[in-house]
Amino acid sequence: MHQKIYESVERFWQTSMLAALEDFIRIPALSPDFDNSWEKTGHLAFAVEQAKAWAQKQGIRGLKCEIVKDEGCTPCLLVEIEPSSADKFERSVFFYGHLDKQPENEGWDADKSPWVPVLQNGRLYGRGSVDDGYAFYSLLGAVKVMQELGFAHPRCVGLFETCEESSSRHYEAYLDKCRQRLGDIGLVIALDSTCGDYDRLWIVRSLRGMLGGVLKVQTLTEGVHSGEASGIAPSSFMVLRNLLDRLENSATGEMLPQAFKTEISDETVEENRQVAALLGDEVWSHFPFAGATQPLSRDALTCLLNRGWRPEMTVTGIDGVPKVENAGNVMRVFTAAKIGIRLPPGVDAVKASRALSQIVTENPPFQAKVSYSSTVESNGWAAPQTAPWLQKAFEESSQAFWGNAPCYFGMGASIPLLNVFSKTWPKAQFMVAGGLGPNSNAHGPNESLHIEYALKLIASIVWIVANYKE
C-alpha cells in the first residue's frame, strides 16, 4: 500500500503540482512588509485566486474554496473538504500554509532567478518554492491521493494566508471570523518548517520565540571633528557596545540575563543527543562560513541546544553609520542597532522584553541618551505530548517512505501562529514539518524545494491523515 501511495503522489506531482508550483513561482507575491503597494499591484490577490482555481480543477470530492478578504487586510483562502463517509469525527484536520513571499535578494546563480522556475539536480528553484508555496499544493494533493486510493479521511479544513512573512498580522482576525466554519480541530498540519536532512521524516517539537527592537544611543547633537572630540566626548558606538555587553558575552555568544533563559529537560537533551549523533558536523558545516571562520561550537549537541533551547542575539541592522567610502573623520551623533533575540519555549516574551528594556536603559555609561523601542514580542512554542496513534503514524510513514526512523527536534526560528492554534484548539495534536532542509536557502538566493523529500512528505501526510484518530 505504501508503494501505491508514493506512486500516486509522484503521478500527482508530474500531472498537476509541478506546473502549479512553477506558475506560483512566477508571481512576485511579496509580503506587505516588502511591497507597500501590495493592494495596487495585486500579486497577493492573484496568488490566492490562482491557488483557488487550481484546487477547484483537481476533482477533490466535497471541496469548497472561498477567498476571505477584509478591507485593508491581505487575503486568505478558506478551504473545506467534507469527510469521505458519514462516519464523522468530532474534530477535523486543519491545514496551514502561506502564499506570500520574501523579496528577491541578491546573489542568485546566473542560470536561476527568483521569478523563473528552474528544475535542476532534483530541485525546483524559485522564490516561494519551499517557503511556502508547496504547502498548499501538497496538503490538498494529499487529500486528492487519499480519495483516489479509496482511503477514508476525516473532514479537512485550511486557512492559507498571504501575510506570514510580515508576522501574520491579519491572520488571527481571519481565524476568529472563520472559527465556526472551521469547527473544532484534532490535528494541525503545518509545513512551513525545517528538516535536518532529506533521509527521514523530521518532526519539529519546539520553536523559539522572538524579541525584537531598536536600541539607540545618542551622545552629541551634531557631528564633531574626531581629532578634537575623541578622548573627551564618548562615542555612541562605544556606549552601544557597552550596553550590548550587558546582554551577551561577546567572547562566547552566551546570553547573560536569566530572564531570557529556561531550564532544559533531560528528555529534551536526550532527544537532541540522538539528532546530534545522526547529523554530526552537518549541524554546522552547511553554513556558508567565510574564510577560516569557525562555529561557536563544533559540538553538535551544543549547537542544537543553542539553536532550539537557548536565547541568542543577532544585530540585524545599524543606523547612524555612513558607508565606508563616505565616512569622514567625524564623531557621529548617534548609533542605533536593530536587535533580535531568539527566546526558548517557556519564556514569557512580554516579561523578557520589559527586562531587556530595563537592562539597556538603566544607568547608561556617561549618562548618554539611550532609548529602546520594542517591535516584536513573541513566545516560543512546544508541542503537546504526542498521541500514541500519531506517534505510530510518524514511525510507520518514515520507515515506509524513507527506510529510516523519524527524528524529532527543536527549530530555532519562530512560527507565532502555533501558539494561537494551541490556544484556539487545546485538544489538537500537531504535525509541524517541512522541506526547509540543507541548501534550501529560504529568504536567500537560490531558494529551492528538494522534490523527492516533498513527495515523501506528501505520502506521509496521506498515511497520517488516513490513520487519524481521536
Side-chain angles (χ1 to χ4, degrees):
M1 179 53 71
H2 291 101
Q3 183 62 31
K4 287 185 177 180
I5 292 173
Y6 186 78
E7 290 172 355
S8 294
V9 170
E10 194 171 33
R11 185 165 55 251
F12 166 76
W13 167 265
Q14 293 292 346
T15 60
S16 183
M17 183 173 167
L18 173 57
L21 260 182
E22 288 178 330
D23 287 342
F24 173 72
I25 287 170
R26 293 185 180 98
I27 307 171
L30 296 182
S31 201
D33 279 358
F34 313 110
D35 180 8
N36 293 330
S37 303
W38 63 268
E39 288 192 274
K40 183 178 180 180
T41 58
H43 297 312
L44 293 176
F46 183 57
V48 172
E49 290 163 0
Q50 180 176 277
K52 177 185 176 183
W54 173 86
Q56 292 174 328
K57 293 178 181 177
Q58 301 311 303
I60 299 172
R61 294 188 297 276
L63 171 71
K64 295 179 183 177
C65 282
E66 178 184 332
I67 295 174
V68 184
K69 173 74 169 69
D70 287 341
E71 185 68 29
C73 295
T74 54
C76 282
L77 183 57
L78 173 64
V79 173
E80 300 174 82
I81 305 172
E82 293 304 311
S84 58
S85 68
D87 185 20
K88 296 182 179 180
F89 291 95
E90 290 184 9
R91 296 190 289 274
S92 303
V93 175
F94 179 81
F95 297 149
Y96 171 76
H98 67 89
L99 296 165
D100 58 315
K101 305 181 184 183
Q102 284 279 322
E104 298 93 324
N105 212 316
E106 298 179 353
W108 290 74
D109 291 348
D111 60 346
K112 300 179 183 68
S113 163
W115 313 126
V116 178
V118 173
L119 281 169
Q120 191 177 101
N121 299 323
R123 290 177 178 267
L124 175 62
Y125 288 85
R127 180 62 82 226
S129 57
V130 71
D131 187 21
D132 180 43
Y134 85 104
F136 171 80
Y137 300 97
S138 296
L139 291 164
L140 267 67
V143 178
K144 173 66 175 176
V145 169
M146 278 188 278
Q147 292 184 351
E148 285 183 346
L149 295 177
F151 284 117
H153 65 78
R155 181 173 182 264
C156 298
V157 297
L159 190 62
F160 297 87
E161 65 167 320
T162 56
C163 197
E164 192 275 343
E165 303 292 2
S166 302
S167 66
S168 300
R169 54 180 174 263
H170 306 142
Y171 194 85
E172 286 191 63
Y174 282 133
L175 194 64
D176 288 341
K177 184 175 184 176
C178 300
R179 179 79 175 274
Q180 187 171 359
R181 291 177 63 178
L182 292 172
D184 199 8
I185 301 299
L187 173 64
V188 173
I189 303 179
L191 298 187
D192 190 20
S193 192
T194 190
C195 54
D197 60 22
Y198 299 113
D199 299 327
R200 71 208 78 241
L201 176 63
W202 289 83
I203 300 297
V204 172
R205 298 284 206 197
S206 64
L207 297 103
R208 287 190 292 187
M210 181 74 177
L211 293 185
V214 177
L215 174 59
K216 182 177 179 180
V217 176
Q218 182 175 355
T219 56
L220 297 166
T221 58
E222 60 182 24
V224 294
H225 194 299
S226 62
E228 291 293 320
S230 60
I232 299 176
S235 157
S236 62
F237 188 78
M238 177 186 67
V239 175
L240 179 68
R241 282 191 304 170
N242 181 284
L243 298 177
L244 293 178
D245 282 344
R246 298 179 181 183
L247 301 173
E248 178 190 62
N249 182 333
S250 59
T252 65
E254 180 189 359
M255 296 297 292
L256 301 175
Q258 196 62 35
F260 302 159
K261 299 180 181 181
T262 191
E263 184 176 349
I264 306 174
S265 69
D266 293 341
E267 181 182 4
T268 296
V269 172
E270 182 56 34
E271 199 171 73
N272 281 273
R273 194 186 308 279
Q274 294 175 20
V275 177
L278 181 69
L279 296 181
D281 289 351
E282 292 179 22
V283 170
W284 56 267
S285 63
H286 67 280
F287 291 105
F289 292 109
T293 303
Q294 296 294 305
L296 292 174
S297 172
R298 297 175 67 94
D299 177 69
L301 176 58
T302 300
C303 287
L304 289 170
L305 292 176
N306 284 350
R307 185 181 67 184
W309 287 90
R310 291 180 181 131
E312 305 291 343
M313 182 174 73
T314 304
V315 175
T316 60
I318 295 283
D319 274 349
V321 181
K323 292 184 178 181
V324 171
E325 61 266 27
N326 299 326
N329 294 319
V330 176
M331 184 166 285
R332 297 174 294 101
V333 172
F334 76 94
T335 306
K338 185 176 182 180
I339 59 177
I341 298 176
R342 298 288 178 173
L343 294 175
V347 175
D348 187 306
V350 173
K351 292 181 180 179
S353 183
R354 290 173 187 157
L356 168 60
S357 180
Q358 183 176 356
I359 289 167
V360 296
T361 58
E362 280 193 348
N363 301 317
F366 310 104
Q367 298 183 16
K369 184 179 179 180
V370 175
S371 65
Y372 174 74
S373 176
S374 175
T375 56
V376 178
E377 297 173 353
S378 174
N379 289 334
W381 174 84
Q385 184 68 37
T386 305
W389 74 266
L390 184 56
Q391 188 75 28
K392 182 181 178 184
F394 288 157
E395 301 283 342
E396 290 174 342
S397 56
S398 190
Q399 289 287 358
F401 301 118
W402 284 275
N404 289 311
C407 263
Y408 308 94
F409 72 134
M411 181 176 165
S414 306
I415 306 179
L417 284 176
L418 291 178
N419 282 312
V420 176
F421 297 153
S422 291
K423 183 179 179 180
T424 304
W425 303 302
K427 296 181 180 180
Q429 291 286 297
F430 284 81
M431 177 186 179
V432 181
L436 294 163
N439 302 313
S440 61
N441 219 27
H443 296 205
N446 303 323
E447 177 183 342
S448 65
L449 175 69
H450 190 285
I451 295 171
E452 184 180 1
Y453 191 81
L455 300 188
K456 291 179 178 180
L457 188 57
I458 297 170
S460 294
I461 293 167
V462 171
W463 185 252
I464 288 162
V465 176
N467 285 276
Y468 172 72
K469 293 179 176 60
E470 291 185 345

